[in-house]
Each structure stands twice: as C-alpha cells, then as structure tokens.
Amino acid sequence: AQSVTQLGSHVSVSEGALVLLRCNYSSSVPPYLFWYVQYPNQGLQLLLKYTSAATLVKGINGFEAEFKKSETSFHLTKPSAHMSDAAEYVCAPGSRYNQGGKLIFGQGTELSVKP
Amino acid sequence: DTGVSQNPRHKITKRGQNVTFRCDPISEHNRLYWYRQTLGQGPEFLTYFQNEAQLEKSRLLSDRFSAERPKGSFSTLEIQRTEQGDSAMYLCASSSGTGDYNEQFFGPGTRLTVL
C-alpha cells in the first residue's frame, strides 16, 4: 500500500530564511505527488503537483519541489520565507492503485515564520 | 463564492446522537470525496462518489457512517450513534473529469465534537 512520511510535525524558520519541508513516499514509484497547503480557517489548497513531466515542479507563492526517485523524496522548498507562509503543509502521493483519485496524505508539517 | 461549501462549520453533539453534514461541491464537478482529519494527522480518505454512485468506501467507514449523493450534486454524511472517537474535522472535496489525478478542491470542513 502507498504510504508517505513527513519528517517534522513543526518547522520554524525566520522571515527571509530558506524553507525546507520533507516528504518521503513508499518505495513503489507513484506517478503523481501533491503538496497541499492549509491556511488557518481555510480549506486545503493545491500548492503544486508532480506528474512525471519534469522532476522540478514550481507551485504557487514561490514554492517548488523536486522529485528524487533515488531518495524516494519530494521535498518542498522556498528560498525566502514570508510571514504569510505560516500554515500547515501536507504531502500526498498518488498511485495508479488509488482508483478514483483518492489521496493518501502525510501527517502534515506546521510551518511557523518568525519575524 | 463558487468553491466547495460545507455545513455546518462546527457541530457539538452528545455521545449517542446522530449528526448529518452537508457538502456542496463546485458546480458540475462529477467527483466528490469525504476525508476525516484528526488533530496532528493528515486527512484520511473515507469515501468517494462519481456522480451519484458511491464507488469506494474506506474500512474507516463503519456501519454507523453513511454517505449519499442522491442527484449527483450535493452530498450528505451521516453518523449514527456518535462516539467520542468520531470527533474530528470532516473534509469534503470535489474534482472534475474522470482522470484519477485531477486537482481536488477542498471545502473548509465541518468540525465535529462529541461530548
């Protein structure tokens, strides 16, 4: 069965610092990987999506993620954190076995940004 | 607002009572998903519909849970004889098309507290 691990339930960075949120998936290579973001009192919003077309994927708000098959990882990065980036970030791999497109989510990482 | 809406946003009930939640997907989205999210965890898949047909149910969905989408538009999720373990955020999402990895658009969720 497909599974995903997000290392670090809480990550705190200073404003302007690099953001790195980690996501590792189970060994069977998924054809799709998603990062979702959840701002306070809002629904989950798609941040970016990997679809095998390119290993480096750019998303909204300056975020990007790189698919690394050798490391079974899809870490999320942003060069310079803004206060508005404070939110919950959730990684979700897709699989041809997830009929109907249901998503298997990681446990999430809460990002705090200090001024 | 043309996003996914969920009602109520909050529900407090006593153990043993029945509750019903409603989800209105984005107009003309043929797929509708229900997820459950507990504190500190990522969302877990419960069930999904393609139009009015319920195509998959998670093993998490006990006999006390039932979901419907009678006309292929809005959906309801009912929990009978609620238990304290049912306390969670219930999320609804919708997507268009029949591809398994189209973007899912999430509603703000219904937070259930069972006393």
Side-chain angles (χ1 to χ4, degrees):
Chain A
Q2 192 64 261
S3 65
V4 58
T5 301
Q6 289 186 242
L7 293 177
S9 57
H10 292 89
V11 170
S12 182
V13 301
S14 298
E15 191 172 19
L18 170 71
V19 176
L20 171 60
L21 304 180
R22 300 177 185 273
C23 172
N24 289 86
Y25 55 90
S26 61
S27 59
S28 59
V29 178
Y32 296 87
L33 283 158
F34 304 82
W35 273 101
Y36 278 82
V37 59
Q38 186 169 27
Y39 299 103
N41 298 316
Q42 295 185 30
L44 287 161
Q45 178 183 0
L46 183 66
L47 197 58
L48 51 80
K49 171 182 171 182
Y50 164 73
T51 60
S52 305
T55 56
L56 184 63
V57 182
K58 294 187 183 300
I60 61 172
N61 301 335
F63 283 92
E64 62 182 33
E66 185 173 7
F67 174 70
K68 292 187 177 180
K69 180 179 177 180
S70 61
E71 299 177 6
T72 62
S73 70
F74 191 54
H75 301 332
L76 183 70
T77 61
K78 182 173 180 177
S80 176
H82 294 166
M83 297 295 292
S84 59
D85 293 328
E88 182 88 6
Y89 293 81
V90 192
C91 177
S95 166
R96 63 173 65 88
Y97 301 114
N98 289 354
Q99 183 181 3
K102 68 181 183 185
L103 296 173
I104 308 299
F105 288 93
Q107 68 271 34
T109 297
E110 183 178 355
L111 175 67
S112 301
V113 182
K114 299 175 292 186
Chain B
D1 186 6
T2 58
V4 178
S5 62
Q6 292 187 247
N7 287 289
R9 293 290 305 275
H10 303 273
K11 179 69 177 179
I12 300 174
T13 190
K14 293 182 179 179
R15 188 179 54 181
Q17 298 294 306
N18 299 343
V19 295
T20 300
F21 310 141
R22 176 178 170 125
C23 171
D24 286 89
I26 292 173
S27 179
E28 298 181 357
H29 274 192
N30 57 338
R31 283 188 174 171
L32 187 148
Y33 305 82
W34 285 99
Y35 295 85
R36 180 173 68 186
Q37 185 174 21
T38 54
L39 198 61
Q41 300 296 319
E44 297 172 294
F45 169 78
L46 293 179
T47 188
Y48 92 96
F49 293 83
Q50 182 156 309
N51 300 312
E52 66 276 8
Q54 187 174 17
L55 297 186
E56 186 174 351
K57 294 169 60 174
S58 164
R59 283 171 288 182
L60 293 174
L61 218 62
S62 74
D63 292 344
R64 297 184 296 106
F65 288 71
S66 63
E68 295 182 343
R69 195 183 183 198
K71 297 182 180 179
S73 56
F74 73 92
S75 175
T76 58
L77 177 67
E78 181 183 16
I79 309 175
Q80 296 181 328
R81 306 180 303 281
T82 53
E83 302 173 356
Q84 289 184 327
D86 297 331
S87 295
M89 178 75 85
Y90 289 83
L91 302 172
C92 176
S94 69
S95 68
S96 62
T98 55
D100 285 345
Y101 309 107
N102 295 328
E103 178 180 354
Q104 293 183 27
F105 294 82
F106 283 81
T110 294
R111 181 170 295 284
L112 172 66
T113 302
V114 181
L115 302 176

